[in-house]
Amino acid sequence: MSVLHRLQRLRRRRGGWHQSPVLWVLGIACFLEVAFHASRFRVPVPPRELDTPFYTSCQEPPPTPPETPRENAAIVMLARNEEADKAARSVRSIEQRFNRWFRYPIVFLNDEPWSDEFMRILNASTSAPTFFENVPKEQWTFPSWMDKDAARASIKDQGDRGILYAGKETYHHMCRFFSGNFYNIEALKKYKWYWRLEPDVEFSCSITYDPFVEMARHKKVYGFTISLWEEKRTCPSLFREVADWKEAQGIPSTTLWKAGIDASWVPWPFRSLLSWFSHRDRDGDGWNLCHYWSNFEIADLDFFRGPKYQDLYKHLEHTGGFYFERWGDAAVHSLAVNMLAEPHQVHHFADFGYRHDWYYQCPANAPGGQLPDSKALNEAQSTWAEEIPGGVGCRCDCDGRRNRNHASYCLNKLKAPNTAHRPWSTWFLSFIF
């Protein structure tokens, strides 16, 4: 007799099938199995906050040029000649808020020769040394083994379907470049640290300490300001490729990796059927799409030059996903950092005021920590927004009563391994997204 017929007979009996001990036992077993599976991805609450701002108030800026030790680092911007005005706005902003005191070199990268006009405008925007370099042609094109016509056809199709930036061939080249070859180009070989700077960004707080020195001192490898959801349609197979590589390499899951996973609530043995869907691993568990927004990142170049990351990049490269999908460098960096770094090695620059496009982070100013008598600070920014209890910013001129203009879900998720006090909404929203 079939299971269906048995269920029908149970329903006809007095009390119905829902009173069957067998089905109750089966239901409870399924619930316990799913609960046990989900518990494997639980991120334990640490006994204390493990990633706090390096400083929570203004510091007296160092003499110029700095007499304090500096790290072997550079600020790096990828730009085009026609972006001279936008690039200059970013450079003037970081000059006013940070580099006037520290004078880290700025390396400008372009896939085309620089114009005299661009170099003139940018040199006039900073007191720091500047270097105008070119991305090697072989690193700004399709891989030699790839069918270029098929790749271009895919790019056109992605654009026709309205996938964000996916119809632009040069955008695919950029994502591929920033995901792998960027770290090993000749122009950056002599540096250990980089600060990625984009055209048309704004820093709204003064940065009066050296973030490179603090990153090295605290043994960090990656720093960020904003965390967002990735656009789903750009990278449907990326997570599966990364997860498969992780499993093949025998890399254990850190709490940082678990923070990026939404465990499936479908019971065994049906759970694995979910692996047919995008953004799922072979076991059916999903990536929550949270990533570090990589237009700002301060990171250790040696972490990305290391054999594990480079092997991962080569694996991803040979899948063709940078062109037949639109894998972004932010998503690639984020999954790699969450897989290969320990939670204490990742730092959120909560004290940095930062805007790119319309997204921003705006810390409140620290009460009593603005050093109103500092001559060096007054030359850079003599007025600032309201000081608010709990603030950590230095002379921020944005409204610290609203720290950000985007959902904080992803920030809270990715910071969870280092956070002792977590908002309940993050746990609740995990069941929705």
Side-chain angles (χ1 to χ4, degrees), residues 215-385:
M215 290 281 285
R217 180 180 297 159
H218 291 86
K219 295 181 171 54
K220 307 286 187 180
V221 297
Y222 191 83
F224 70 101
T225 53
I226 292 174
S227 179
L228 301 170
W229 279 291
E230 181 59 288
E231 163 59 45
K232 275 188 175 184
R233 295 187 299 161
T234 63
C235 54
S237 69
L238 173 62
F239 175 66
R240 177 62 177 271
E241 292 292 346
V242 174
D244 283 352
W245 182 86
K246 173 180 176 291
E247 184 175 340
Q249 299 295 315
I251 297 174
S253 296
T254 65
T255 54
L256 198 55
W257 176 263
K258 293 176 182 179
I261 306 300
D262 284 337
S264 170
W265 285 87
V266 174
W268 180 90
F270 306 106
R271 185 182 304 125
S272 61
L273 297 177
L274 294 177
S275 64
W276 290 96
F277 294 91
S278 61
H279 309 296
R280 298 272 176 176
D281 62 20
R282 65 174 58 251
D283 296 321
D285 297 303
W287 175 35
N288 58 24
L289 299 173
C290 292
H291 71 287
Y292 311 108
W293 213 26
S294 64
N295 50 72
F296 172 100
E297 52 188 9
I298 297 178
D300 184 347
L301 283 161
D302 289 341
F303 172 81
F304 291 102
R305 290 167 178 156
K308 286 186 178 178
Y309 181 84
Q310 287 298 310
D311 187 64
L312 170 64
Y313 168 69
K314 290 174 183 175
H315 169 76
L316 297 179
E317 164 91 330
H318 284 285
T319 67
F322 288 109
Y323 294 96
F324 291 94
E325 294 180 14
R326 202 233 72 192
W327 292 355
D329 55 276
V332 173
H333 291 182
S334 300
L335 288 170
V337 167
N338 290 353
M339 175 173 50
L340 300 175
E342 294 295 330
H344 68 270
Q345 294 180 293
V346 179
H347 180 65
H348 176 225
F349 284 98
D351 55 318
F352 280 25
Y354 178 73
R355 178 203 60 78
H356 180 57
D357 289 339
W358 74 279
Y359 292 108
Y360 68 75
Q361 172 178 279
C362 174
N365 283 314
Q370 303 306 305
L371 301 183
D373 297 325
S374 170
K375 181 180 178 181
L377 277 172
N378 288 335
E379 288 175 353
Q381 185 76 21
S382 59
T383 61
W384 54 91

Side-chain angles (χ1 to χ4, degrees), residues 132 211 286:
F132 298 89

Side-chain angles (χ1 to χ4, degrees), residues 87-264:
R89 280 199 292 273
S90 298
V91 170
R92 284 194 295 267
S93 183
I94 202 172
E95 172 77 11
Q96 177 192 2
R97 293 302 201 163
F98 169 74
N99 218 26
R100 65 190 297 146
W101 303 303
F102 295 92
R103 294 189 180 173
Y104 275 100
I106 306 177
V107 179
F108 296 95
L109 299 175
N110 190 349
D111 65 303
E112 299 174 347
W114 289 108
S115 69
D116 292 338
E117 179 72 359
F118 185 98
M119 291 188 287
R120 182 189 65 77
I121 292 173
L122 271 297
N123 277 328
S125 303
T126 181
S127 61
T130 56
F131 301 91
F132 298 89
E133 306 286 353
N134 291 112
V135 178
K137 290 294 183 185
E138 66 274 12
Q139 296 180 7
W140 197 271
T141 187
F142 299 99
S144 58
W145 52 267
M146 183 172 287
D147 183 333
K148 296 178 179 57
D149 292 335
R152 287 193 173 104
S154 175
I155 290 170
K156 182 181 183 303
D157 176 66
Q158 293 170 55
D160 292 343
R161 287 186 283 128
I163 299 175
L164 190 65
Y165 305 131
K168 300 178 180 180
E169 180 180 314
T170 189
Y171 197 88
H172 290 261
H173 293 328
M174 181 196 71
C175 292
R176 174 185 176 236
F177 172 69
F178 268 130
S179 294
N181 295 324
F182 166 76
Y183 304 103
N184 292 310
I185 63 171
E186 193 64 35
L188 298 182
K189 276 188 176 179
K190 64 181 178 181
Y191 300 110
K192 176 175 172 56
W193 297 90
Y194 75 100
W195 179 335
R196 180 167 164 182
L197 183 68
E198 293 281 311
D200 196 24
V201 304
E202 178 184 7
F203 294 90
S204 53
C205 305
S206 292
I207 302 164
T208 54
Y209 62 89
D210 188 330
F212 297 115
V213 168
E214 297 304 325
M215 290 281 285
R217 180 180 297 159
H218 291 86
K219 295 181 171 54
K220 307 286 187 180
V221 297
Y222 191 83
F224 70 101
T225 53
I226 292 174
S227 179
L228 301 170
W229 279 291
E230 181 59 288
E231 163 59 45
K232 275 188 175 184
R233 295 187 299 161
T234 63
C235 54
S237 69
L238 173 62
F239 175 66
R240 177 62 177 271
E241 292 292 346
V242 174
D244 283 352
W245 182 86
K246 173 180 176 291
E247 184 175 340
Q249 299 295 315
I251 297 174
S253 296
T254 65
T255 54
L256 198 55
W257 176 263
K258 293 176 182 179
I261 306 300
D262 284 337
S264 170

Side-chain angles (χ1 to χ4, degrees), residues 67-88:
E67 295 176 357
T68 53
R70 295 201 311 170
E71 289 296 317
N72 179 21
I75 298 166
V76 184
M77 176 187 285
L78 178 71
R80 290 285 181 82
N81 288 315
E82 58 269 26
E83 296 178 301
D85 291 337
K86 292 181 178 180

